[in-house]
Amino acid sequence: MLRSTKSRKDTCKYCEGNGYVTLLLGGSETCYACKGSGNKKSR
């Protein structure tokens, strides 16, 4: 699935908009940067 350029700009760069990150030893956890929202943290 392709995303538009605007939504790509607004997605979290750590989880790529998924809301979770994959751990090296297996499994996943909620993204620490966006708290699972998938969006960039607003300042």
Side-chain angles (χ1 to χ4, degrees):
M1 176 192 300
L2 296 175
R3 297 180 186 192
S4 69
T5 309
K6 184 179 179 191
S7 67
R8 224 181 259 161
K9 245 193 277 185
D10 295 333
T11 59
C12 176
K13 66 181 179 179
Y14 297 103
C15 67
E16 298 175 347
N18 294 322
Y20 62 90
V21 291
T22 305
L23 303 174
L24 292 174
L25 298 175
S28 62
E29 68 179 18
T30 304
C31 180
Y32 54 88
C34 67
K35 306 284 190 255
S37 70
N39 298 319
K40 268 188 187 177
K41 191 175 185 180
S42 59
R43 294 182 180 204

